[in-house]
């Protein structure tokens, strides 16, 4: 049997029939094994129609060989060593054909970058068919009786992550890939980190143990000894995957992407959520939107997992500066700040510090921000009656003797509770009537029910302007006894005597 070198055979015009005959020849007689080279050569064609037929032919050929057990099982030896040795013809055939199968899989992996979508889709489907067949007919020896085998080196595709076994091994393969690349390259490219995040963020675990019921590789009976059948093992693999990714220095753009999905897509599925403390605390020091999103993750760990983080509110207090009213994440900031300050068990000095800092910043804020932040401050006073002294202090301090220290980073040392909210009284003289009306709420007894700030979070200057245009003004009144005539005033006006408009 000749199995060395590639056969040089011309292909007829109809690739489907020609490839079909080649596949049939290989499957009918081992003496025709060299015909597999023509099938593999068709995968290199520049004609995408011929490539499609070649992929289909490979699917039929190697799918049948896997089912018939005609590929070598175990650690694949070198082809040259086996062919030169004295092993039997059947062993040589299986080793040789296994190498052809590996060549086919490698080429199918390359075709995933083919410009034609049909080729990419078919190559993907064929590879996943091989995953399923290899799971049923493993190409490696089990390490012990009942050992669960899965072809991890073959699969890598998010379209199949709905299957529990695919997902489990995806997480393990992703952890290995990140470790391998970071060991080889001290500073991997941004493209690698983005691709890794895309894969990791596509993994979503089921909530309950009984939801583990969809397996791509079919088994007559699932063994309780297999880790893949237990949700706790999925959680451990999920945790190891994310920790292996987040322990590295990531691009700033990725910090924000990770933190946006941290609270609902990552933390709920971790075996030990508190292990995220290092990543979240380091993210807190970055500043801006990243620090805010990191505080959201820390807030969940504090309230749901009893994490102790004394600097939480100090970090949040430090994010309050004049720019907070102008950044694009303003709505998210105040939504989360409202959540963080929602507990009625917070100390009065802390709430007073936030109310006072926001009131001071409001003096230079735009109207659209004031219409949101003024109800926000009033809600703080409603939740914490002990802070109402800020608006009912009998002898309010003068502006030049305000005990509040705006430069102090620690809210506990800011002396806000000794001060008053004179800033709100100042804003009652604001040029915009809606702002003046919102600031005047403190002149009456505050209602028990809070005012929802949700509709005001996204309020923009354009929307405020549009509302003003639609608002009906007062009835017109004469501004002087003699109406003006034209741009230059009355006819006997000095300006009209010496100047004309041309």
């Amino acid at each position: 049997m000749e199995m060395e070198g590639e056969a040089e055979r011309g292909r007829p015009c109809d690739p489907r029939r020609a490839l079909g005959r080649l596949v049939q020849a290989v499957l009918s007689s081992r003496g025709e094994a060299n015909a597999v080279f023509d099938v593999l050569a068709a995968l290199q064609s520049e004609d995408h129609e011929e490539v499609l037929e070649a992929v289909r032919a490979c699917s039929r050929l190697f799918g049948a060989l896997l089912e018939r057990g005609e590929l070598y099982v175990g650690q694949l030896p070198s082809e040259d060593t086996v062919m030169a040795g004295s092993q039997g013809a059947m062993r040589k055939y299986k080793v040789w054909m296994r190498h052809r199968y590996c060549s086919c899989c490698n080429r199918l992996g390359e075709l995933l970058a083919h410009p034609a979508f049909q080729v990419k889709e078919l190559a993907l489907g064929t590879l996943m068919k091989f995953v399923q067949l290899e799971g049923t007919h493993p190409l490696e020896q089990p390490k012990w009786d009942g050992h669960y085998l899965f072809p991890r080196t073959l699969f890598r595709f998010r379209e199949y992550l709905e299957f529990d076994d695919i997902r489990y091994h995806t997480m393990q393969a992703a952890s290995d890939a990140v470790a391998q690349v970071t060991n080889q390259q001290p500073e991997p490219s941004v493209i690698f980190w983005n691709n890794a995040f895309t894969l990791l963020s596509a993994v979503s675990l089921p909530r309950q143990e009984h939801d583990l019921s969809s397996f791509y590789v079919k088994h007559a009976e699932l063994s309780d000894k297999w880790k893949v059948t237990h949700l706790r093992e999925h959680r451990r693999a999920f945790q190891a995957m994310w920790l292996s990714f987040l322990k590295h220095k990531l691009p700033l753009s990725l910090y924000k992407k990770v933190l946006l999905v941290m609270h609902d897509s990552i933390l709920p599925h971790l075996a030990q959520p508190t292990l995220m403390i290092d990543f979240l605390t380091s993210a807190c020091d970055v500043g801006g939107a990243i620090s805010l999103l990191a505080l959201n993750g820390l807030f969940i760990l504090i309230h749901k997992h009893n994490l102790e983080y004394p600097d939480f509110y100090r970090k949040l207090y430090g994010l309050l500066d004049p720019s907070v009213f102008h950044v694009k994440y303003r709505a998210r900031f105040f939504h989360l700040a409202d959540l963080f300050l929602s507990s009625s068990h917070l100390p009065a000095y802390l709430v007073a510090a936030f109310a006072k800092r926001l009131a001071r910043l409001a003096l230079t804020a735009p109207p659209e921000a004031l219409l949101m932040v003024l109800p926000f401050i009033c809600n703080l006073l409603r939740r914490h009656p002990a802070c109402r002294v800020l608006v009912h202090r009998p002898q309010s301090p003068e502006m030049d003797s305000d005990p509040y220290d705006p430069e102090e980073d620690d809210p506990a040392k800011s002396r806000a509770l000794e001060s008053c909210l004179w800033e709100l009284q100042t804003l009652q003289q604001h040029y915009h009537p809606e702002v003046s009306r919102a600031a005047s709420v403190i002149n009456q007894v505050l209602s028990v029910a809070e005012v929802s700030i949700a509709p005001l979070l996204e309020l923009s200057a354009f929307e405020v302007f549009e509302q003003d245009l639609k608002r009906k003004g007062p009835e017109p009144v004469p501004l002087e006894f003699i109406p003006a005539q034209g741009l230059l005033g009355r006819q006997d006006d000095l300006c009209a005597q010496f100047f004309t408009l041309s």
Side-chain angles (χ1 to χ4, degrees):
M1 178 178 62
E2 295 292 335
M3 294 185 293
E4 300 176 2
E6 296 194 13
E8 297 293 336
R9 309 184 186 190
R11 288 187 292 274
C13 295
D14 187 351
R16 176 181 297 180
R17 291 184 179 180
L19 290 169
R21 285 195 293 268
L22 291 172
V23 169
Q24 188 61 38
V26 175
L27 295 177
S28 299
S29 171
R30 295 191 184 98
E32 297 292 332
N34 274 339
V36 73
F37 283 119
D38 282 346
V39 178
L40 296 177
L43 292 175
Q44 306 287 342
S45 174
E46 295 183 0
D47 181 0
H48 85 273
E49 291 294 338
E50 186 174 0
V51 173
L52 287 172
E53 294 302 329
V55 173
R56 295 188 183 102
C58 287
S59 176
R60 295 194 302 274
L61 173 61
F62 292 107
L65 293 174
L66 279 165
E67 290 177 338
R68 285 158 49 164
E70 296 189 10
L71 299 182
Y72 180 79
V73 176
Q75 185 68 35
L76 186 61
S78 167
E79 184 176 358
D80 295 335
T81 302
V82 173
M83 290 305 177
S86 58
Q87 290 91 347
M90 178 57 71
R91 176 182 168 85
K92 289 184 177 181
Y93 171 81
K94 289 187 176 182
V95 170
W96 183 87
M97 192 60 78
R98 172 84 178 273
H99 278 282
R100 304 289 79 77
Y101 172 66
C102 292
S103 299
C104 173
C105 291
N106 290 337
R107 179 54 185 162
L108 290 175
E110 294 173 358
L111 290 177
L112 295 177
H114 196 278
F117 175 77
Q118 287 180 311
V119 173
K120 291 189 286 190
E121 185 179 36
L122 187 59
L124 169 63
T126 302
L127 281 169
M128 293 309 299
K129 172 187 174 181
F130 290 162
V131 168
Q132 190 174 36
L133 288 172
E134 278 196 44
T136 307
H137 310 281
L139 295 181
E140 56 180 305
Q141 297 286 357
K143 295 179 181 179
W144 60 82
D145 186 30
H147 181 209
Y148 179 81
L149 295 173
F150 190 93
R152 280 182 50 192
T153 57
L154 191 58
F155 84 97
R156 48 183 173 243
F157 315 109
R158 61 180 295 177
E159 286 83 353
Y160 293 82
L161 289 177
E162 63 186 51
F163 296 100
D164 298 317
D165 49 351
I166 294 285
R167 185 193 316 111
Y168 179 75
H169 291 283
T170 295
M171 294 187 287
Q172 291 189 328
S175 300
D176 294 343
V178 170
Q180 181 180 0
V181 171
T182 52
N183 288 335
Q184 295 174 352
Q185 305 175 30
E187 296 184 4
S189 66
V190 175
I191 295 176
F192 166 77
W193 290 122
N194 284 327
N195 288 342
F197 172 76
T198 300
L199 175 61
L200 268 61
S201 59
V203 177
S204 178
L205 296 186
R207 297 284 182 176
Q208 303 295 332
E209 185 85 33
H210 59 75
D211 292 333
L212 289 177
S213 58
S214 177
F215 292 87
Y216 189 71
V217 176
K218 306 302 180 184
H219 296 275
E221 184 179 355
L222 296 176
S223 173
D224 193 55
K225 297 179 180 179
W226 296 344
K227 292 183 178 181
V228 73
T229 61
H230 299 286
L231 182 58
R232 65 176 181 274
E233 297 297 336
H234 283 251
R235 288 180 179 274
R236 288 174 182 169
F238 184 83
Q239 177 174 283
M241 175 185 71
W242 276 108
L243 290 177
S244 69
F245 178 75
L246 297 177
K247 71 179 183 180
H248 299 285
K249 184 178 180 180
L250 304 177
L252 285 180
S253 59
L254 263 187
Y255 267 101
K256 188 178 296 185
K257 290 180 180 180
V258 171
L259 291 168
L260 281 171
V261 299
M262 176 66 71
H263 65 288
D264 59 354
S265 299
I266 299 178
L267 288 178
H269 301 298
L270 297 179
Q272 296 173 278
T274 52
L275 292 179
M276 281 292 170
I277 182 65
D278 291 337
F279 171 74
L280 292 172
T281 51
S282 63
C284 274
D285 298 329
V286 175
I290 293 177
S291 294
L292 174 68
L293 294 171
L295 286 176
N296 189 27
L298 287 171
F299 184 77
I300 293 174
L301 293 181
I302 291 170
H303 282 263
K304 293 186 178 181
H305 303 283
N306 300 318
L307 175 72
E308 292 187 5
Y309 189 67
D311 289 338
F312 179 85
Y313 286 100
R314 184 172 179 174
K315 293 277 188 182
L316 178 62
Y317 187 74
L319 294 177
L320 293 175
D321 59 41
S323 67
V324 77
F325 295 119
H326 305 279
V327 292
K328 61 181 180 181
Y329 60 87
R330 184 188 75 193
R332 178 178 287 272
F333 179 91
F334 282 97
H335 168 73
L336 291 176
D338 188 49
L339 174 65
F340 300 156
L341 297 169
S342 60
S343 174
S344 59
H345 299 293
L346 294 176
Y349 76 83
L350 181 65
V351 177
F354 277 93
K356 183 65 178 179
R357 172 68 72 90
L358 287 171
R360 182 65 59 89
L361 295 176
L363 292 175
T364 56
E368 64 273 15
L370 288 173
L371 292 176
M372 176 269 300
V373 77
L374 290 174
F376 186 99
I377 295 173
C378 291
N379 283 345
L380 292 180
L381 300 180
R382 289 185 176 97
R383 295 171 193 165
H384 304 273
C387 293
R388 295 184 186 182
V389 67
L390 295 175
V391 294
H392 297 300
R393 194 177 297 279
Q395 294 181 345
S396 301
E398 299 294 334
M399 288 181 60
D400 59 353
S401 63
D402 191 341
Y404 172 71
D405 184 1
E407 303 299 326
E408 175 57 55
D409 295 331
D410 188 350
K413 300 178 182 179
S414 66
R415 301 178 64 191
L417 205 55
E418 302 173 28
S419 179
C420 69
L421 297 181
W422 57 262
E423 296 89 350
L424 299 191
Q425 190 170 10
T426 301
L427 289 171
Q428 292 176 16
Q429 309 302 319
H430 197 275
Y431 70 87
H432 196 286
E434 291 301 317
V435 173
S436 175
R437 188 177 297 109
S440 299
V441 170
I442 62 168
N443 294 338
Q444 295 90 33
V445 177
L446 291 174
S447 61
V448 176
E450 294 186 12
V451 175
S452 174
I453 64 169
L456 305 172
L457 291 174
E458 301 283 354
L459 192 63
S460 65
F462 176 79
E463 290 173 323
V464 173
F465 185 72
E466 287 292 305
Q467 291 174 5
D468 289 343
L469 289 179
K470 295 176 181 178
R471 186 176 293 109
K472 293 183 178 180
E475 293 294 327
V477 295
L479 300 179
E480 60 177 2
F481 182 72
I482 302 177
Q485 301 291 327
L487 294 176
L488 298 180
R490 299 188 300 271
Q491 292 183 353
D492 58 347
D493 189 89
L494 187 64
C495 184
Q497 295 178 16
F498 293 98
F499 297 94
T500 59
L501 293 176
S502 59

